[in-house]
Amino acid sequence: MCSWRQHLSHCAILSGLLSLWMDLTSGMVNIQLIPQYPVIGESVTLGVTGVTGRVASIIWHKGPNTNKEYLILTYLPNDPSPLLPGPLYVSRARPFPDGSLLITDLHITDTDNYIVKVQTEKTQEQASVTLTVYERVSKPKVSASTSQPKENDTFTLTCDTRNAERILWSRNSVSLPSGPILSADNRTVTFSRVTRGDSGDYRCEAENPASRSISDPYTVTISYGPENVQITGKLYVNFGSDISLSCSADSVPPADYQWRFKDGDLNPKQNTLLIHNASSDKQGTYSCVVTNAETRLTVTTSVFVNVTAVGPENVTITGLLHMHVGSDTSLNCSADSLPPPTYRWRFNDRELNESKTLQIYNATLKDQGNYTCVVINPETKRTVNASVYLSVTMEAANNGGMDKGHIIGIVVACLLLVALVAAMLYLFIIHKQRKKPSDKLSMVNIPATNASYTQCATVWLKWTYISLQDVDKAILLGFHFMFY
């Protein structure tokens, strides 16, 4: 079945032919418009049907009756000059022998009632028809009461078009739901409390019997928010690491973001915040201020970020812990700590330097004892100690022999021992001479073992290879050898 919306001209012709066939079979004069809905600038045929017998004359009138002032023309098919114009004749009108009338280049003024009289040899019949000349509808355009409607506001869309007899609305290519209110002529659609669900592409379609046209889509975006504002990120960070926070919100159009810390604004103005190398002064409340420029609503949310110091832990001391007199060493202290800790050294409860490394040069026996590393975290104020025992010995293994210091010490001790023995011998002899001048000098027993003489002899030989630069050290070692 045909619709006037589809293949309008074809349907009109088919309809006219069907009506013509019906009139011929009925024997009644009738007028059929072809096409049924003519348009300005085009043509229409007022087709006469139902005429029987030979046509003698045809008379056309335009108006309410057949008075002379409404006469368009008289047509005599059998006359050499068949056309006789009337008062309302126009050159765009053209009669046919069967009684039909063609009007070309239609004007809106052609709209009227048309009457035809057909005279045959036997009868005279009359028929009328109303001709309506339509203007094509103009392309519709959708306009809005505001370009940026806010949620819960009243909002109206208007379809601007001409020559339309019917207007239809759609959203996203689907008919409108029942919520919006349509005007009597469907030219406006009103939302009493618009919601974000009313966003979409709106079109209006304008129609009349002769033409139809549809508008371009008009995109409606409902402003709302900000809502559901939240901050994500680590709220516990280690000293020296980064603080990274992200702020999000539901908002149309997209919201503006501003970060604040301790009542001061931070830059840049974006939804993410990154602070490098966090310290204790970066601990506190961070606020995200979210603003919608259209709704003019502002929402603020806050979180507390903790900057955590760690340690000190795993305190260790490394270095040479067994050394001999005159040698050097260094003790190194280390610990796991955030922020980096401070170091202090103690020796037998005596404060030394504040350094991670302790240097000991030209060690003596007095350098032997407990060394303590004191580690302090400046943030947590936590203190952890670690201790080691440093031993200092007289002898040092060197392929079974002695170093120069020990050799010099033994030589000096031997010399002092010889000197002491000589002195005692001298005193003994003087004493004997005073007591018994004639007596023979007795031998003095000197307490010395073969091992002592052998050691002294051995040391004496080695003494020949010792440089004079070690004499001061040798004297001290010599006294140590004698009395210890």
Side-chain angles (χ1 to χ4, degrees), residues 266-280:
L266 301 176
N267 287 319
K269 295 182 178 181
Q270 57 188 30
N271 69 321
T272 58
L273 177 66
L274 180 62
I275 299 176
H276 297 289
N277 195 22
S279 56
S280 57

Side-chain angles (χ1 to χ4, degrees), residues 339-400:
T342 59
Y343 297 88
R344 294 206 309 268
W345 284 96
R346 292 177 185 169
F347 172 60
N348 294 335
D349 297 327
R350 178 168 58 89
E351 294 289 340
L352 298 179
N353 64 336
E354 293 187 2
S355 174
K356 187 175 182 179
T357 302
L358 178 64
Q359 299 285 349
I360 300 175
Y361 300 102
N362 196 18
T364 67
L365 294 175
K366 292 182 180 180
D367 293 323
Q368 179 171 282
N370 287 312
Y371 287 83
T372 301
C373 176
V374 182
V375 185
I376 304 173
N377 187 313
E379 290 295 328
T380 64
K381 307 304 180 185
R382 183 185 178 194
T383 301
V384 178
N385 299 340
S387 299
V388 294
Y389 186 84
L390 177 66
S391 63
V392 181
T393 59
M394 289 294 299
E395 297 181 355
N398 187 11
N399 297 327

Side-chain angles (χ1 to χ4, degrees), residues 13 30 77 81 84 110 113 115 123 128 141 171 196 201 210 235 238 328 350 359 361 374 381 387 412-413 423 426 457:
I13 294 172
N30 194 12
S81 300
L84 301 175
D110 292 329
N113 182 59
I115 303 172
T123 62
S128 65
K141 181 179 180 181
R171 185 188 71 195
R196 66 193 69 177
D201 291 335
L235 303 184
N238 291 333
D328 303 332
R350 178 168 58 89
Q359 299 285 349
Y361 300 102
V374 182
K381 307 304 180 185
S387 299
V412 172
Y426 173 76

